[in-house]
Amino acid sequence: MNAMSGRWRRVAQKIVGHASWVLPGGQSSWGDAMWRELDYIEDDRAALRWAIGCVTASYVMRLAALPRLGLRLSPRSVLAGILLLSIGLAVQGYASGESSLPAFEESICDLPDVTPEIRPRLRCGTVRVPRDHARPDTGSFSLAVVVIKSAQQPSLPDPVVYINGGPGNPLTIYATYQARNPYAPRRDLILVDQRGSGRSEPSLCPGLDRTLLEANLAVAANGTADAMVKRRAAYITCRDQATRRGIDLKAFGTRVTVEDFEWVRQALGIERWNVYGESYGTAVAMTLVALHPEAVRSAVLDSIYPPDPVPLWSAVVSAARDAFFVHCAQDEACSASFPDLAGTYRETLDRLDRTPLIVNVPPQLQQPNDQARMTAPLFEVLVNRLLYFPTAYPTLPRIIQSVHDGDARGLGNLVASEMEAARMENRATNAAVECRDRPHFRNPLPPGANVMDRTQLYGVCEGWSELGPAPLIPIGASVPTLVLAGQFDPVARPSLSRHVAELIGRSARWIEFPLVGHNVRGFSPCGAKIAADFIDDPRQAPDTSCADRRPPIRFVSKAQIP
Amino acid sequence: MSRKPNSSRQTRAILATLLDRAQTWRHGYDLSKETGLKSGTLYPVLMRLSEQGLLESRWQDPERPGLPPRHVYRLTSTGLALAREQALSEAAAVVGDPSGAVA
């Protein structure tokens, strides 16, 4: 592509970007459709003609809304359209003032599984946020926003904003689930797909989802240097594609996401909100409290993912696993069936190292002969994932024992469900945020690193984008803050989250939940109640006595192995 | 007098093209090339057909790595019925039978 043709392509992209901006709310997917067709038009001048047509189409659709106001399309309205076009282009190019004010544009709720009783409680729409909050003239991204009205009306004035984990995971598509599980009585709930995630723009490397997933799986399966080199190449392809599409990778990171949330808050006309961060969402929530404390009534940090510096992840996972093994050893039923679970686990890894186990997997995984190889590193990754979920604890010892004994039955569905979860994450967005946030991914793999560390972004971030401003811990903040920690959490050990709570200071309360992993609220009714009570009245110390009354894990015994 | 909906030359051209391979999902750019309509004409028609429940759309995985997914379109059963009715009436006009019946 010569310099001239590159310029035409960029002009075409700018014009289609404008076309997307002009389209009425609810039709943004058509803007995406126009934008993506551009990548399939090889001739740059044809792309430019296409783009000009698209902007015309958008104005036609915008003007078509006018007859509803009693007007009809006429030569005069077409002229008005052209005028609007000129003004629009000028506004987008040199935006200032009104065009950059936060606004919620409501549209039809096009969400999955919305039941008739939930539908009236949903308000769906988009908020356009500046691509670069420091330079609002550089264009915007549309973020998907869902407001779930409280089942009890009238609702209280300060809603809850739930900030989910990832980064890169969708949220608004789960609105129905969220509507059924209120965070606090009488409070509306705000859900936002963070930039680059779910239904929010930009769509980073959309054609490379599978490539990135497979490159990461290859690292998890064998953890070789070669697999890491190939993964890096996949991410670099993604980076180049994004850059070619005019996406600046500096437009990502927790600090940017925080400004997006602040923009959304203003767009919704909310004076103060209660912030509920989970997993990576705690990094966003903490930074939000640090930078915009006046807008936060209370903060809950569920299963913390603190900013750098953090311990080596494999060490954290190992400590969580050891805690689980110790618990098994102290539990009568577990220790009777699995007297040395830690030893069995080590032996299992040795055996898999020598001879990987063949696992029958469901056809939807599209593996050759519907089989996959369970290697030692992959098993480590799988066991780590099971530590997230208390629902997996009863069977975890039995799974370890079965694999140790060479029995792979039942593993196939487990692998399939993990794959399904992995598919939901946008790995390009994950890298875009993490590489801006976390200096340690630019270092070489530290001594003692194992597969858990290799699955992180070591070897990817250097060359992806520059390091951005760091997420923050709100040290000394006065916002009442509740920190929830699961005993077996493999992302941050309870001791680390307690340390973070101590750094925040007197405004923070820290509670550990025995027999819980990552996501306290989701798996502990007690945790959910404490969080709800806290949000209801953040100045009042919540009754935490239920935390120690969790029912014991009902371990599946060895005798129950079929 | 108001014009019958979906009777413009452009809309009929798009309906006829979509009817031609009714089960195939079609891309915007390909439709543009096939009908000779520019994107400025094509998309408003597609959007209106979609609003009227005559056109369904979805995102299709990219044809090769490195490219984004594409928005693709085909007629719904109602859209197919309309396109067929239109094709029949055009055929009838050609043979001079106003009932539209084609043997």
Side-chain angles (χ1 to χ4, degrees), chain A residues 285-305:
Chain A
M286 283 191 281
T287 310
L288 196 58
V289 170
L291 297 176
H292 300 283
E294 69 291 343
V296 183
R297 176 175 172 271
S298 73
V300 181
L301 308 175
D302 183 342
S303 308
I304 225 160
Y305 179 46

Side-chain angles (χ1 to χ4, degrees), chain A residues 147-361:
Chain A
V147 179
I148 304 174
K149 304 298 289 178
S150 166
Q152 296 92 41
Q153 290 292 323
S155 46
L156 294 166
D158 307 318
V160 175
V161 58
Y162 169 57
I163 307 178
N164 68 323
N169 288 352
L171 176 60
T172 59
I173 55 165
Y174 304 120
T176 299
Y177 170 82
Q178 295 288 341
R180 291 200 177 115
N181 295 277
Y183 286 74
R186 303 189 77 88
R187 294 196 190 268
D188 298 344
L189 176 64
I190 317 293
L191 306 179
V192 181
D193 281 330
Q194 293 165 32
R195 78 167 56 188
S197 307
R199 300 179 304 131
S200 286
E201 293 176 341
S203 181
L204 258 187
C205 306
L208 291 174
D209 289 350
R210 196 182 169 90
T211 309
L212 293 176
L213 178 62
E214 284 174 356
N216 278 291
L217 282 176
V219 170
N222 59 46
T224 60
D226 181 51
M228 290 187 71
V229 168
K230 285 181 177 156
R231 180 180 64 169
R232 177 178 164 78
Y235 275 96
I236 293 301
T237 306
C238 166
R239 179 203 66 185
D240 292 345
Q241 188 200 85
T243 308
R244 216 170 38 244
R245 292 172 61 215
I247 297 170
D248 183 354
L249 291 170
K250 292 200 291 294
F252 287 89
T254 298
R255 296 285 282 268
V256 178
T257 302
V258 159
E259 295 314 313
D260 286 349
F261 272 98
E262 185 55 13
W263 196 270
V264 169
R265 181 185 68 79
Q266 292 173 29
L268 294 173
I270 294 165
E271 193 178 332
R272 285 190 318 166
W273 54 12
N274 299 281
V275 177
Y276 195 108
E278 185 205 320
S279 190
Y280 161 72
T282 63
V284 180
M286 283 191 281
T287 310
L288 196 58
V289 170
L291 297 176
H292 300 283
E294 69 291 343
V296 183
R297 176 175 172 271
S298 73
V300 181
L301 308 175
D302 183 342
S303 308
I304 225 160
Y305 179 46
D308 273 15
V310 287
L312 191 63
W313 194 32
S314 53
V316 179
V317 172
S318 174
R321 202 173 48 223
D322 287 348
F324 184 82
F325 292 159
V326 166
H327 179 80
C328 174
Q330 291 168 347
D331 181 277
E332 198 176 326
C334 192
S335 59
S337 278
F338 312 100
D340 180 18
L341 189 58
T344 306
Y345 178 70
R346 281 193 300 275
E347 277 182 27
T348 307
L349 293 183
D350 288 343
R351 289 181 181 195
L352 291 174
D353 244 347
R354 288 194 297 274
T355 317
L357 204 54
I358 301 301
V359 180
N360 294 320
V361 294

Side-chain angles (χ1 to χ4, degrees), chain A residues 23 27 29-30 32-34 36-37 39-42 46 49-54 56-57 60-61 64 68 73 206-208 211 237 241 244-245, chain B residues 27-30 32 37-48 50-51 55 57 59-71 73:
Chain A
L23 275 172
Q27 290 182 328
S29 67
W30 289 94
D32 276 352
M34 296 168 180
R36 288 174 189 187
E37 284 299 293
D39 283 355
Y40 289 85
I41 305 174
E42 289 183 359
R49 284 195 295 275
W50 178 261
I52 291 168
C54 289
T56 310
V60 166
M61 294 312 288
R68 288 174 212 159
L73 272 179
L208 291 174
T211 309
T237 306
Q241 188 200 85
R244 216 170 38 244
R245 292 172 61 215
Chain B
H27 308 122
Y29 188 51
D30 298 344
S32 165
L37 297 173
K38 293 188 167 56
S39 53
T41 308
L42 175 77
Y43 275 114
V45 175
L46 292 179
M47 284 186 239
R48 286 189 189 115
S50 174
E51 275 174 7
L55 186 79
S57 59
W59 290 101
Q60 187 182 60
D61 285 341
E63 290 148 14
R64 55 178 195 272
L67 286 170
R70 291 178 96 169
H71 212 215
Y73 318 98

